[in-house]
Amino acid sequence: MLVKEVRATIEKYNKKELEGIVVELYKQVPKTKKESVDEYLKDINAHKKIAFEKESLPYEEECARYDRFIALAKAGYYASPNRIVAKSERQKWRSLVRHYYKLFAAHNEEIDRLADLFKVLSKGTRELVFTTWNTFKACGVAQEEYYALIVERVLKSGFTKQNLELLVALINVDRDDSANLSYVLSHKMPTIDTKEMLIEAIDASYDKDLYLIKNTREYMNYCYCNWHNEKVEAVTVLYFDLCEEKMAERYFKNNYYEKSIYHKTRSYLDFLRRHNFKEQFLTEYERLEPKLDKEGNDRYLYNYYLELIQDSSQAKD
């Protein structure tokens, strides 16, 4: 029955009959639910008081509750049925994630728990940490937006080597909708000095990247390759920003992980196309032309860029 039908049905019973109904219904309540029902019977407004108390917990207690929640999530207790976390509690993970994200985002000094939650949500895009892989959608914030908040929060204390290394380490996480975290970080570098510092920090992460690439297989190997190459592309863009075009090309070709030289140069051509580096695309295409499909998209784009550059030169004359 609907609630309004229940109300209409019980109207015909007197007080004593209603008491009997309540007792019989209570006998049918599962043991796991009896505690909350007991609280309600003792005080009909208990659920309202509990809700109010949850909204006004001290920050330290909120953190303690978060620590327990995230520990259980990491252990897999929010992903499948178990005796540690009841089904009713597992179903609340979305509201808990949103609550803790807003809580930590509102506390300007909080970094560790904000980053910790980010890593757990990122892991959840590949593994069932919760009941869905759309963890950031459930949180109500895109993965790039979440990472950008962490970047801004960390860099408030300065563009130090330690801070940049921390942010670079957070790039190697599973992705939601192919989010590009390297570019998020590189776009936050306002000066020549900070761009150069970020290049050094990313360079320092390559040994670990290559170790993981060479010692993993299948899906994770594919992920590590993508994350590494994403960082290489971000640094290449930084070199273009620094007006060091030759260094940008050399850096890409020396560090981009690809098994064949041809595919590495092919990837560089694709990189130039995606970033609309017209003149560099023309030069690279002319160098690779004998090996390329002259009737394909590369040839079409080459002619298009060539026409744009020629028109631009004529306009200047």
Side-chain angles (χ1 to χ4, degrees):
M1 289 188 291
L2 299 175
V3 172
K4 63 180 181 180
E5 293 174 325
V6 173
R7 292 183 187 280
T9 301
I10 63 176
E11 281 181 356
K12 62 183 180 182
Y13 297 113
N14 59 38
K15 181 181 177 182
K16 188 173 182 179
E17 289 171 328
L18 287 174
E19 288 175 355
I21 290 172
V22 170
V23 171
E24 289 302 318
L25 290 176
Y26 181 79
K27 291 178 182 179
Q28 298 179 41
V29 174
K31 289 183 179 180
T32 55
K33 300 284 186 180
K34 269 191 166 58
E35 185 177 348
S36 59
V37 174
D38 290 343
E39 292 297 323
Y40 186 79
L41 290 175
K42 292 174 184 176
D43 182 354
I44 196 171
N45 293 313
H47 65 296
K48 296 179 181 179
K49 292 179 180 179
I50 291 171
F52 176 80
E53 288 171 2
K54 285 184 178 179
E55 292 174 2
S56 58
L57 287 174
Y59 183 69
E60 294 75 13
E61 189 170 341
E62 288 276 22
C63 289
R65 292 194 177 197
Y66 163 79
D67 292 343
R68 181 178 183 277
F69 161 71
I70 212 66
L72 291 170
K74 289 177 180 178
Y77 292 123
Y78 275 86
S80 58
N82 60 85
R83 295 182 179 181
I84 306 300
V85 179
K87 182 180 179 181
S88 59
E89 288 301 310
R90 293 198 304 273
Q91 293 173 341
K92 296 177 183 178
W93 73 267
R94 291 176 178 82
S95 59
L96 288 172
V97 163
R98 286 194 294 270
H99 170 70
Y100 289 125
Y101 171 75
K102 292 177 181 178
L103 176 70
F104 300 144
H107 281 73
N108 293 327
E109 302 303 317
E110 185 62 75
I111 294 176
D112 292 343
R113 288 187 178 86
L114 197 63
D116 186 43
L117 181 59
F118 174 79
K119 288 187 282 188
V120 171
L121 292 175
S122 296
K123 182 181 179 182
T125 64
R126 179 176 60 89
E127 300 178 16
L128 271 183
V129 177
F130 299 108
T131 55
T132 176
W133 284 281
N134 296 320
T135 49
F136 284 96
K137 184 177 180 181
C139 181
V141 59
Q143 189 176 24
E144 286 189 356
E145 183 183 347
Y146 194 140
Y147 180 67
L149 174 63
I150 295 174
V151 172
E152 292 171 3
R153 184 72 53 87
V154 170
L155 294 180
K156 279 184 179 180
S157 62
F159 290 81
T160 65
K161 178 182 177 182
Q162 183 179 5
N163 283 347
L164 291 177
E165 287 177 349
L166 168 65
L167 295 172
V168 169
L170 279 177
I171 290 173
N172 279 19
V173 292
D174 293 291
R175 305 301 171 81
D176 183 17
D177 297 327
S178 301
N180 195 315
L181 306 184
S182 294
Y183 287 125
V184 172
L185 179 57
S186 64
H187 289 161
K188 299 292 184 181
M189 301 299 111
T191 65
I192 292 175
D193 288 344
T194 56
K195 293 178 194 296
E196 291 177 344
M197 288 178 66
L198 178 57
I199 291 172
E200 290 179 6
I202 292 178
D203 277 345
S205 71
Y206 287 166
D207 286 343
K208 183 178 180 180
D209 287 352
L210 296 176
Y211 173 82
L212 292 170
I213 289 170
K214 292 175 181 179
N215 290 278
T216 54
R217 294 181 180 180
E218 299 176 351
Y219 176 81
M220 283 312 300
N221 179 269
Y222 171 80
C223 290
Y224 289 133
C225 286
N226 282 347
W227 300 336
H228 172 80
N229 289 339
E230 173 193 302
K231 287 190 277 189
V232 173
E233 289 191 7
V235 171
T236 305
V237 171
L238 287 171
Y239 274 122
F240 274 114
D241 290 345
L242 294 169
C243 299
E244 297 185 29
E245 294 183 10
K246 289 294 182 183
M247 184 61 190
E249 178 183 351
R250 186 162 60 250
Y251 186 91
F252 185 99
K253 293 178 179 178
N254 286 343
N255 292 284
Y256 197 86
Y257 189 83
E258 192 63 71
K259 292 183 178 179
S260 75
I261 295 175
Y262 169 73
H263 284 103
K264 185 176 291 191
T265 52
R266 170 74 257 185
S267 295
Y268 185 59
L269 190 69
D270 289 339
F271 164 81
L272 295 172
R273 171 186 56 79
R274 283 186 279 107
H275 291 276
N276 207 29
F277 292 125
K278 301 180 182 65
E279 293 182 2
Q280 294 82 1
F281 180 91
L282 294 178
T283 301
E284 189 69 11
Y285 179 86
E286 290 167 358
R287 195 177 68 79
L288 292 174
E289 188 174 15
K291 301 178 181 180
L292 297 173
D293 177 11
K294 297 182 182 181
E295 302 300 323
N297 291 329
D298 292 322
R299 183 66 189 181
Y300 172 81
L301 190 59
Y302 173 83
N303 291 331
Y304 174 70
Y305 280 165
L306 186 61
E307 185 177 345
L308 282 179
I309 291 172
Q310 288 174 344
D311 290 345
S312 177
S313 298
Q314 290 173 2
K316 289 179 181 178
D317 294 340

